[in-house]
Amino acid sequence: MKINQFTEQDVLSLAKKGYYEGKATFDINPKRCALLVIDMQDEFVKPHWTPDWVPEATKMVPRLRKVIDHCREMSVPVIYTVFSNTHHYFDRPKSGKYMPIQHSDLGIDSSEFYVKGEVWHELAPLDNEIIIHKPSYGAFHDTPLETILRNLDKDTVIISGTLTNFCCDTTARQAYARSFKVIFGSDITGADDPDLQEPELRIMRKGFARVMSAEEIIKSLI
């Protein structure tokens, strides 16, 4: 291909190659990595409890637990995020109340949801692990996460958790914009609509992250 000679088919083929086959070329140094466990809390993982339950998140718990355990063995910091009652909820985006994700049409008492921000018991943080209580989708927005990562001398974040296409992908984009290298777990992230998992992975693959399975992540952290 030459400059000024790219056909429509040429650029379409290049786009598809990036979405389906792309692989970020950065090296992975375990000493510079941190694992982010995004919102694997009861509201999303506990079966049948809330309208926000993500069955795919529940199913992936055993795989994610293996990654968490391996990171702990390799001294890779594990940092959790949750939604909880921070600042009496006044720190939330004001327009959020208008979004269908709030399920306002269900007419249920949601006062018990997102109060304590309890991580699902099978993935419980250790006493010395950090829990970020975040007000919005991305883990970097209005939180000390970037400062924490810089102080830990980490330049690579491994994204896991739920929702793939809300909090995980927003966090990945925020990390990318802050010049972090991003690893996005293909089978340790979960979407509320499974049909949206692979399309989101394609976007991550082309422009924001290296998309890797749990086993690939474990093998890279040795």
Side-chain angles (χ1 to χ4, degrees), residues 144-196:
L145 178 57
E146 182 174 4
T147 300
I148 290 169
L149 291 169
R150 302 294 185 198
N151 286 340
L152 289 171
D153 197 27
K154 306 304 177 184
D155 67 4
T156 305
V157 291
I158 303 165
I159 305 290
S160 67
T162 198
L163 296 167
T164 303
N165 50 326
F166 278 85
C167 297
C168 294
D169 71 331
T170 302
T171 299
R173 285 169 165 81
Q174 292 174 342
Y176 170 85
R178 289 164 173 78
S179 295
F180 288 95
K181 301 171 186 176
V182 182
I183 298 169
F184 201 91
S186 61
D187 57 355
I188 51 172
T189 54
D192 50 352
D193 180 349
D195 289 341
L196 297 179

Side-chain angles (χ1 to χ4, degrees), residues 12-206:
L12 178 60
S13 295
L14 287 171
K16 286 183 176 293
K17 183 177 181 180
Y19 288 125
Y20 288 87
E21 304 174 26
K23 182 179 179 181
T25 57
F26 58 76
D27 294 329
I28 300 173
N29 179 353
K31 294 181 180 179
R32 303 297 303 279
C33 291
L35 174 66
L36 303 184
V37 181
I38 307 293
D39 300 350
M40 290 296 285
Q41 60 189 90
D42 289 351
E43 285 83 357
F44 295 117
V45 185
K46 182 179 179 180
H48 313 296
W49 186 35
T50 78
D52 295 329
W53 174 39
V54 182
E56 294 302 307
T58 309
K59 294 173 187 176
M60 75 183 186
V61 164
R63 284 192 300 275
L64 180 51
R65 181 56 192 261
K66 289 181 181 179
V67 175
I68 291 172
D69 288 345
H70 183 74
C71 284
R72 288 168 176 165
E73 290 175 7
M74 299 303 298
S75 297
V76 173
V78 180
I79 300 174
Y80 292 79
T81 75
V82 294
F83 286 110
S84 63
N85 182 3
T86 52
H87 306 99
H88 303 293
Y89 306 113
F90 284 110
D91 54 359
R92 306 305 197 257
K94 197 170 183 179
S95 55
K97 63 183 178 181
Y98 303 114
M99 299 298 112
I101 197 171
Q102 299 298 330
H103 304 296
S104 57
D105 57 328
L106 293 182
I108 61 174
D109 180 7
S110 60
S111 61
E112 294 184 14
F113 305 155
Y114 306 108
V115 177
K116 296 181 180 179
E118 294 185 348
V119 176
W120 181 244
H121 62 92
E122 293 180 75
L123 304 174
L126 301 179
D127 290 341
N128 64 344
E129 290 175 334
I130 293 169
I131 304 174
I132 300 285
H133 292 256
K134 63 186 180 68
S136 190
Y137 299 138
F140 287 88
H141 176 71
D142 273 357
T143 78
L145 178 57
E146 182 174 4
T147 300
I148 290 169
L149 291 169
R150 302 294 185 198
N151 286 340
L152 289 171
D153 197 27
K154 306 304 177 184
D155 67 4
T156 305
V157 291
I158 303 165
I159 305 290
S160 67
T162 198
L163 296 167
T164 303
N165 50 326
F166 278 85
C167 297
C168 294
D169 71 331
T170 302
T171 299
R173 285 169 165 81
Q174 292 174 342
Y176 170 85
R178 289 164 173 78
S179 295
F180 288 95
K181 301 171 186 176
V182 182
I183 298 169
F184 201 91
S186 61
D187 57 355
I188 51 172
T189 54
D192 50 352
D193 180 349
D195 289 341
L196 297 179
Q197 179 76 7
E198 183 54 37
E200 190 58 52
L201 294 180
R202 291 172 194 162
I203 294 170
M204 290 291 109
R205 189 177 290 118
K206 183 179 180 184

